[in-house]
């Protein structure tokens, strides 16, 4: 079964750090682009970050640039998001999402999400 | 960034109704448009990509149309399991990938 499972969320104080992980299974992880998408409580979906299949190309939303770092370990079938200098507005459910394998594609597989709460 | 605007923001409908949701892009995106369904407490699920192609396993009562700047998602005969929030997303010009604000389909 194709699956993505996020972990690492939790409660953190403003200015703190957190590292999210996304474990992939059921497909050849190293062949797919990956993304992080977040959803603040009661709000819509916001794309956060992208990484190419090899890790050579990376993009960030302006709202997290300079604070968040996306990475992947293809040998471990894992995607990561290192989040530093966290702010209250970063509070959200964070989803990892797979690009559908086409050169320009939708996000076809999503994890169940992990909640990040930034509060003192 | 390309802005995606959905309408309506919410609607009330009954089982068996035909429902149409629209999505407008702030500039042309060809057919690089996806629709997602999200139920409370769950992850989004891809329904339609390339504006009109049904993702594998998605019931045929869902359909999508449009190109350029104007798109529609239609549910031909609303079922109880279709009550959810629906999002459009453009993947023509990125970063950033952008989503509409969502349309909540509620029970009348």
């Amino acid at each position: 079964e194709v699956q993505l499972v996020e972990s690492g969320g939790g409660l953190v104080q403003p200015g703190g750090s957190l590292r999210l992980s996304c474990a992939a299974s059921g497909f050849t992880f190293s062949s797919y682009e990956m993304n992080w998408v977040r959803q603040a409580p009661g709000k819509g979906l916001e794309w956060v970050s992208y990484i190419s299949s090899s890790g050579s190309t990376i993009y960030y939303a302006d709202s997290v640039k300079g604070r968040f770092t996306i990475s992947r370990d293809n040998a471990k079938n894992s995607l990561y998001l290192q989040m530093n200098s966290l702010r209250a507005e970063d509070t959200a459910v964070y989803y990892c999402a797979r690009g559908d394998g086409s050169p320009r594609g939708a996000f076809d597989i999503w994890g169940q999400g992990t909640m990040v709460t930034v509060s003192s | 960034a390309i802005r995606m605007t959905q309408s309506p923001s919410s609607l009330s409908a009954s089982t068996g109704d035909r429902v149409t949701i629209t999505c407008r892009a702030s500039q042309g995106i060809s057919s690089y448009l996806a629709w997602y369904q999200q139920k409370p407490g769950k992850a989004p699920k891809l329904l339609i990509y390339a504006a009109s192609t049904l993702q594998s396993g998605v019931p045929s009562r869902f359909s999508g149309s449009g190109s350029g700047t104007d798109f529609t998602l239609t549910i031909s005969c609303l079922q109880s399991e279709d009550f959810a929030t629906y999002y459009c997303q453009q993947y023509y010009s990125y970063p950033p990938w952008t989503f509409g604000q969502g349309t909540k389909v509620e029970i009348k």
Side-chain angles (χ1 to χ4, degrees):
Chain A
E1 179 191 6
V2 174
Q3 196 172 9
L4 297 170
V5 178
E6 300 94 336
S7 60
L11 175 63
V12 60
Q13 292 188 338
S17 298
L18 214 53
R19 188 195 196 206
L20 306 184
S21 299
C22 171
S25 60
F27 65 99
T28 305
F29 179 71
S30 60
S31 297
Y32 289 85
E33 304 167 343
M34 296 296 297
N35 297 270
W36 287 99
V37 178
R38 69 184 180 183
Q39 185 171 37
K43 302 298 184 181
L45 301 170
E46 179 190 16
W47 169 80
V48 172
S49 186
Y50 158 96
I51 187 167
S52 63
S53 57
S54 66
S56 61
T57 300
I58 285 172
Y59 301 123
Y60 298 101
D62 287 345
S63 57
V64 307
K65 201 172 295 183
R67 301 187 298 122
F68 289 12
T69 302
I70 191 172
S71 62
R72 65 190 296 161
D73 185 334
N74 286 341
K76 294 184 177 179
N77 293 331
S78 292
L79 174 72
Y80 306 101
L81 186 68
Q82 177 66 45
M83 303 186 297
N84 298 331
S85 303
L86 282 161
R87 306 166 179 166
E89 54 265 35
D90 296 318
T91 295
V93 175
Y94 285 73
Y95 297 100
C96 58
R98 189 182 81 168
D100 70 7
S102 54
R104 186 185 274 176
F107 301 168
D108 65 341
I109 303 295
W110 296 63
Q112 86 289 353
T114 188
M115 184 70 205
V116 172
T117 303
V118 184
S119 175
S120 56
Chain B
I2 296 176
R3 179 180 174 87
M4 307 300 292
T5 303
Q6 290 181 231
S7 60
S9 295
S10 65
L11 64 89
S12 295
S14 301
T15 303
D17 284 353
R18 181 182 181 89
V19 168
T20 298
I21 299 168
T22 65
C23 177
R24 175 164 289 177
S26 61
Q27 64 187 76
I29 60 170
S30 185
S31 295
Y32 294 99
L33 190 284
W35 289 98
Y36 300 88
Q37 176 193 66
Q38 187 180 34
K39 296 181 179 179
K42 300 295 186 182
K45 172 188 172 184
L46 177 64
L47 295 178
I48 288 170
Y49 61 95
S52 61
T53 303
L54 219 57
Q55 176 71 344
S56 175
V58 174
S60 58
R61 63 181 179 272
F62 290 92
S63 64
S65 65
S67 67
T69 60
D70 294 311
F71 302 86
T72 61
L73 171 69
T74 300
I75 310 172
S76 60
C77 183
L78 199 66
Q79 302 298 301
S80 58
E81 59 267 33
D82 301 335
F83 291 98
T85 299
Y86 295 85
Y87 294 92
C88 62
Q89 177 211 23
Q90 69 82 22
Y91 51 97
Y92 172 76
S93 174
Y94 49 82
W97 288 257
T98 48
F99 295 87
Q101 81 279 14
T103 295
K104 187 174 184 179
V105 177
E106 300 175 298
I107 301 173
K108 182 182 284 185

